[in-house]
Amino acid sequence: MTGQIFKMIHKKCRNTVYPLTKIQRFIVPDDKISWNVDFPEYSPGVYNSPVLQGKVWADPDIADASFQPQWNKLDGKVNRESYIGHYQADEDNYPLNPIGRSGLRGRGVLGRWGPNHAADPIVTRWKSNNDDSAVVDEKSKHPVLQFVGIQRKDTGEWALPGGMVDPGERVSVTLCREFMEEALNSLEKGSVELKSMKKTITDFFNQGEEVYKGYVDDPRNTDNAWMETIAFNFHDSTGKIVGIIDLQAGDDAKNVKWMDINKELSLYASHKDFIEKVAKRHNACW
């Protein structure tokens, strides 16, 4: 990979304090990101969050003799394959971030060593006037597209309502489940309301389009654990399906709303890059 690509997708997890801690990352210059570049003075700290201990969704420590992970393959029900290809492990069997150095060893708060797979639903509709006509951006002359955004409880940043793919779970199930939990507060719904909502969302989510599959420039990434995702766009062209459902924040979401899409957006991790792809596919304002 070129230095330009490194800077583009491996920026938010370098040269910063690790999220919600006081742990400072080792400074990694742009030209020292690649593992193929000599960096003898590289000596990052190690951080493994105590919240991972004893969790069924988290790997044991690699130093645990009973833990024998199978890198780059399906390991039981845990998918340890990377969407971006083969990754290496060091002499102590710690997987190495395929993009390069991050300034911190360990797992941070991520449950899996190596790739941690997520799924991000991008639910969109056209912004409309009271008479149902499309709102057109005066400057670009393109119609304005909106997407469902949630405000994360942990960082306060706006993001897509995605989440982790459970072991053995189909990505389509993850996408539907996470949207319902975070944007519709399905965990607090009664059985009758939940059944109706689930049918509407499941039917709607059968018509998605993949817009991204790969590495995520996530602030939680480390040298030995990193986020990857599949992002799908689900577009409500008439605004009469999901577009009329009352949004209600739930689970890991603090707030939820329909957000106008434009280049001024500030979103968590690489989510703005995914939104830009969707806007351009729909020939919408950006």
Side-chain angles (χ1 to χ4, degrees):
M1 292 187 177
T2 66
Q4 181 61 35
I5 293 177
F6 277 132
K7 286 188 283 186
M8 179 177 65
I9 65 173
H10 199 59
K11 182 177 179 181
K12 292 188 177 182
C13 67
R14 286 191 298 125
N15 308 339
T16 59
V17 173
Y18 194 81
L20 305 180
T21 73
K22 296 181 180 179
I23 297 172
Q24 180 68 51
R25 293 179 184 268
F26 194 94
I27 300 299
V28 181
D30 291 347
D31 61 354
K32 295 291 195 299
I33 297 174
S34 173
W35 297 110
N36 296 324
V37 176
D38 287 338
F39 194 10
E41 61 270 38
Y42 185 59
S43 182
V46 178
Y47 178 59
N48 295 295
S49 174
V51 304
L52 300 175
Q53 295 179 7
K55 297 296 192 298
V56 295
W57 46 264
D59 287 333
D61 193 289
I62 289 180
D64 186 336
S66 65
F67 181 49
Q68 300 292 324
Q70 303 296 306
W71 307 130
N72 293 292
K73 60 178 67 175
L74 188 62
D75 185 10
K77 288 187 175 182
V78 179
N79 182 11
R80 301 195 189 277
E81 294 179 297
S82 170
Y83 294 145
I84 62 176
H86 187 88
Y87 55 90
Q88 303 294 325
D90 66 16
E91 62 275 11
D92 295 316
N93 202 33
Y94 285 84
L96 294 175
N97 190 314
I99 301 303
R101 299 179 178 97
S102 71
L104 187 67
R105 292 193 176 109
R107 251 185 312 175
V109 296
L110 297 179
R112 304 292 177 192
W113 296 99
N116 288 257
H117 294 114
D120 291 307
I122 306 171
V123 176
T124 55
R125 70 178 183 184
W126 294 111
K127 186 176 184 179
S128 61
N129 295 302
N130 292 332
D131 61 358
D132 287 337
S133 61
V135 173
V136 177
D137 177 65
E138 293 184 2
K139 191 181 227 180
S140 69
K141 306 304 180 186
H142 289 284
V144 177
L145 197 64
Q146 295 182 312
F147 77 100
V148 175
I150 59 106
Q151 187 180 27
R152 295 174 62 100
K153 285 181 179 178
D154 54 359
T155 67
E157 295 175 275
W158 286 90
L160 296 170
M164 306 306 295
V165 179
D166 291 337
E169 184 178 52
R170 288 179 292 114
V171 170
S172 59
V173 174
T174 308
L175 289 162
C176 186
R177 169 173 52 79
E178 289 297 330
F179 183 78
M180 289 181 60
E181 289 180 1
E182 296 196 339
L184 302 177
N185 196 23
S186 62
L187 297 176
E188 301 295 329
K189 303 294 184 185
S191 58
V192 175
E193 185 181 8
L194 180 60
K195 184 177 180 180
S196 174
M197 176 192 295
K198 188 172 183 178
K199 183 180 187 312
T200 298
I201 299 301
T202 300
D203 291 346
F204 176 68
F205 270 44
N206 280 331
Q207 321 228 351
E209 181 180 12
E210 183 180 309
V211 296
Y212 182 79
K213 182 179 183 179
Y215 184 87
V216 179
D217 184 16
D218 192 291
R220 297 170 294 182
N221 292 348
T222 69
D223 286 0
N224 311 119
W226 59 92
M227 289 296 303
E228 299 186 6
T229 197
I230 299 179
F232 273 81
N233 178 213
F234 303 94
H235 182 56
D236 185 356
S237 59
T238 66
K240 305 299 184 184
I241 306 173
V242 178
I244 60 174
I245 295 178
D246 289 333
L247 301 177
Q248 184 178 357
D251 197 26
D252 296 327
K254 182 178 178 181
N255 290 303
V256 60
K257 65 180 179 179
W258 286 99
M259 302 180 69
D260 292 355
I261 292 178
N262 57 62
K263 64 178 60 176
E264 304 305 319
L265 283 170
S266 177
L267 300 175
Y268 181 81
S270 301
H271 292 185
K272 183 176 178 179
D273 296 333
F274 308 157
I275 294 295
E276 180 180 3
K277 289 177 181 291
V278 169
K280 291 182 176 178
R281 286 193 180 207
H282 289 284
N283 198 27
C285 167
W286 180 255

